[in-house]
Amino acid sequence: MERLRSLAAPATPALAALGAVAVAAAVWLVFSFAPMEKVMGMPQKIFYFHVPLAILSYVGFFITFVGSAAYLWKGSREMDHLAVAGAEVGLLCATLTLITGMLWGRPIWGAYWTWDPRLTTTFILWLIYAAYLILRSQVEDETLRAKYAAVMGIVGFADVPLVHFSVKLWSRGIHPVIERGPGDPGMHPDMFTAFKVSLAAMAVLFAVVFILRARVEFLRAEVERLKSARRP
Amino acid sequence: MDFVVAAYAVIWVIFFAYVFVLARRLSALEGDVSRLKEKQ
């Protein structure tokens, strides 16, 4: 873990620069390369960042799930630091997914919000991880805080597959779903190229923010350690 | 078009605000660590 941390810190500025270039390329591809969708028109352009943000929120919550399980199994405080970083960055992505989804829904559905299964389960997911962070801020004892949060990080992850499969589990939903087949991305190839670049760009920025957030947690633990070492 | 502009603006405003907050927290914690190490 120490070796990983020493490698991550100097790589962050380079990753941030790469992310900035990739985002610029993605925006250019979305607006100048990908064709205009015939039914939705311009609002469909929101999809290129809305879907990658949703995928990355799953990644963040998966990190929390793995970190929480590893903490309960091994008792490693470092895994707890990674779990909280995953939850906070995942929650950032989930917040942006919900907002961009609402801004897409208004011109397409005529409403910012409907209680569609995908939207409802995503909102529940957002509440679970917001509650996870609130829980962490309310428990004073470090060990208890990590234990409670780990249990919540594991149980809360059960909503992720529910969100993902909600469009199939509840057939009454109106959230669009891309029908993909073997070798068929379910969209125009140029749209798929723009989508893949957007996903890669957002993944790089996700990595940068995750490294920074994890570093905050490691430094906070070090401050606590140094303070407790000074106490008589 | 307004909704597309709003969506892209929201993404970057919230993202950079979060990065700014993280950078401030990091800088404060790095200061705390070096101060505490000096006192030891």
Side-chain angles (χ1 to χ4, degrees):
Chain A
M1 183 60 77
E2 197 61 41
R3 188 172 151 73
L4 204 67
R5 281 177 63 195
S6 63
L7 283 173
T12 314
L15 268 179
L18 177 68
V21 171
V23 164
V27 170
W28 181 81
L29 284 169
V30 167
F31 289 99
S32 306
F33 180 74
M36 188 72 80
E37 211 272 343
K38 284 177 186 161
V39 179
M40 289 184 254
M42 202 58 172
Q44 187 268 346
K45 302 286 185 194
I46 295 172
F47 151 90
Y48 296 100
F49 283 88
H50 170 75
V51 177
L53 283 164
I55 293 169
L56 292 168
S57 71
Y58 296 169
V59 173
F61 299 147
F62 181 68
I63 292 170
T64 303
F65 172 75
V66 173
S68 301
Y71 173 75
L72 288 181
W73 186 32
K74 297 263 186 188
S76 158
R77 217 21 81 76
E78 290 168 334
M79 288 295 145
D80 179 57
H81 300 338
L82 295 183
V84 66
E88 199 173 292
V89 181
L91 190 68
L92 170 77
C93 293
T95 306
L96 293 174
T97 305
L98 285 171
I99 295 172
T100 52
M102 286 192 279
L103 289 166
W104 172 87
R106 182 68 183 85
I108 300 299
W109 291 338
Y112 285 107
W113 186 266
T114 65
W115 292 102
D116 165 88
R118 170 64 66 85
L119 273 70
T120 308
T121 49
T122 305
F123 182 56
I124 292 168
L125 188 68
W126 188 90
L127 287 175
I128 288 169
Y129 285 92
Y132 172 94
L133 294 176
I134 292 168
L135 170 80
R136 293 194 73 104
S137 68
Q138 296 303 310
V139 181
E140 289 274 325
D141 185 90
E142 211 177 323
T143 308
L144 273 182
R145 178 174 61 215
K147 271 185 189 167
Y148 292 159
V151 172
M152 199 166 177
I154 292 167
V155 176
F157 190 74
D159 192 40
V160 171
L162 214 58
V163 173
H164 190 71
F165 294 110
S166 58
V167 283
K168 289 181 180 161
L169 288 170
W170 291 280
S171 55
R172 282 186 299 170
I174 56 169
H175 191 283
V177 59
I178 295 167
E179 297 292 345
R180 300 177 64 176
D184 172 26
M187 66 183 92
H188 189 284
D190 292 346
M191 285 180 173
F192 194 48
T193 303
F195 171 73
K196 283 188 288 187
V197 174
S198 298
L199 178 60
M202 294 310 284
V204 172
L205 291 184
F206 176 92
V208 171
V209 176
F210 176 77
I211 290 168
L212 290 177
R213 181 61 187 84
R215 190 164 155 69
V216 165
E217 213 54 36
F218 280 97
L219 281 173
R220 186 178 289 163
E222 197 171 347
V223 167
E224 285 304 314
R225 188 183 60 77
L226 289 167
K227 276 182 180 169
S228 61
R230 286 183 66 209
R231 282 182 203 124
Chain B
M1 185 65 184
D2 290 352
F3 289 99
V4 179
V5 172
Y8 278 73
V10 161
I11 291 171
W12 299 116
V13 166
I14 294 179
F15 178 82
F16 284 114
Y18 182 66
V19 170
F20 178 74
V21 170
L22 276 186
R24 283 188 57 143
R25 281 157 84 183
L26 264 178
S27 149
L29 284 165
E30 277 168 353
D32 286 350
V33 168
S34 55
R35 206 168 29 253
L36 286 164
K37 277 184 177 168
E38 269 174 26
K39 282 181 182 173
Q40 269 190 339

